Amino acid sequence: MKINHIGIAVKSLKEAVPIFEKIFKVKATEEEFVESQKVKVRKLHLENIEIELLEGTAEDSPITKFIEKRGEGIHHCSFEVDDIAGKLDELKEDGIKLINDKPQVGSDNMLIAFLHPKSTAGVLMELSQRQ
Ligand code: ZN
């Protein structure tokens, strides 16, 4: 397993992107809409990790709800696996609580699934698999 990206919840991509571009001196990717999460995404590809900036597009988007409760900040860490379905089955068997039993389609057409933060010390962990 290796880290793929850190997801950061922002109120406005328009405001956040130029700041992160200034810090890392790289240009963010074009805006992408991820229907399953109701978010707009722009990413910054760094040497060994991506930064995923997320803005909610609806009241019931997980990102909108997160910002309401906790404000802007780190939302999740994403770890890349080769077989996400198999890994989810394995974790379930080991008693880890999952938010998503089945992989969903995330940004860049990656398969993603979230583990429940109640099982992971309050850290929202995402598994991801390239297709
Ligand atoms: Zn993510």
Side-chain angles (χ1 to χ4, degrees), residues 5-17 28-44 51-64 67 72 75-76 105-108 126:
H5 64 265
I6 294 173
I8 298 176
V10 302
K11 285 184 189 159
S12 158
L13 284 175
K14 225 175 123 188
E15 282 174 29
V17 165
T29 57
E30 290 300 308
E31 192 172 290
E32 185 187 350
F33 175 61
V34 179
E35 202 172 354
S36 66
Q37 303 296 317
K38 297 180 182 166
V39 289
K40 292 190 290 189
V41 183
R42 292 188 69 187
K43 291 181 176 179
L44 295 103
I51 304 291
E52 182 181 76
L53 300 174
L54 303 153
E55 178 188 327
T57 58
E59 296 261 303
D60 61 343
S61 160
I63 294 300
T64 310
I67 289 177
E72 293 181 301
H75 177 257
H76 66 271
V105 178
S107 68
D108 287 336
E126 178 188 74

